[in-house]
Amino acid sequence: MTGTQNQAGPELTQKLKRVGILSDIHGNLHALNAVLEQLDSDNVDQIICCGDVVGYGALPNECVETLRSRNIPTIAGNHDHAALLMTDISNFNEIAKAAVLWTKKVLTEQNFEYLRQLPLTLRDSTNNSFYVHSSPKEPGEWHYILTMGEARTNFNHFTEQVCFIGHSHQPFIIENEEGNLACPTRPEIELRDGRRYLVNVGSVGQPRDHNPRPCYVVLDYEAKRLEIKRCNYDLAGAQQAIINAGLPRELAERLAHGM
Ligand code: ZN
């Protein structure tokens, strides 16, 4: 089982002003490039990826190589492990399974090795933030956090002020003020002392909140502001790449619906 792996990831030690957090790229290079362009013009001094670099999209090698070339700290997602057959895919639907097996076939040896060594979590004590793909409670079990009850339990499994996750492809912010949980619907909030936050940063490459635009988060540590952001990208290009690769057509179609 993946849950028995060492869960301790690397530490970040640099004091940050602005950080951009992205997740669930899923081989969609067109979307990744658009988000990185936005983050560059947004003057972030660090970008961090919460996993699922591959799976579904047609350009997994290019996505891995983009993260590698920019030295973006990245943690492992279930689809990254699935493509390496490091996790059980019997509960994946047929389309997801087909994408996993296609991805496994096309990944270069170097990129395979890169994905294999990704940690399950990233602790940033310097900036008081924690990163995991699925849940801080059991990072390698790939649980979803979909209810306030699950969120409440998971607040007990990180000590930092903010925990960033991905996995469900549905962005949210949950605010915890001494045990009182709230879910602000506005995309931008002020971080307050004495409150803690669980933030799902949404998905770059396959959003599932009925909004097809790539999603990501910017946290400004100096201004103490956190914002869920969206951007435009070459959706038709990403769809065409999926069709050209011979992947299931549904994977191209769903990108247009944000589902
Ligand atoms: Zn994902």
Side-chain angles (χ1 to χ4, degrees), residues 22-33:
L22 50 91
S23 188
D24 295 271
I25 300 161
H26 286 292
N28 187 340
L29 183 70
H30 296 76
L32 175 61
N33 282 339

Side-chain angles (χ1 to χ4, degrees), residues 24 26 52 56 78-79 133 167 169 208:
D24 295 271
H26 286 292
D52 274 5
Y56 299 130
N78 55 317
H79 282 259
H133 182 68
H167 198 35
H169 301 205
R208 293 180 195 158

Side-chain angles (χ1 to χ4, degrees), residues 19-21 39 164 199 201 215-219 226-229:
V19 61
I21 308 105
L39 288 172
F164 293 101
V199 179
V201 303
C215 188
Y216 60 101
V217 161
V218 172
L219 168 53
L226 180 149
E227 186 176 1
I228 296 174
K229 303 185 106 171

Side-chain angles (χ1 to χ4, degrees), residues 5 22 33 53 81 92 97 106 128 141 158 181 231 244:
Q5 286 180 345
L22 50 91
N33 282 339
V53 183
H81 277 192
F92 278 38
K97 235 182 255 178
V106 302
N128 209 9
E141 298 298 329
F158 64 96
L181 268 54
C231 68
N244 292 349

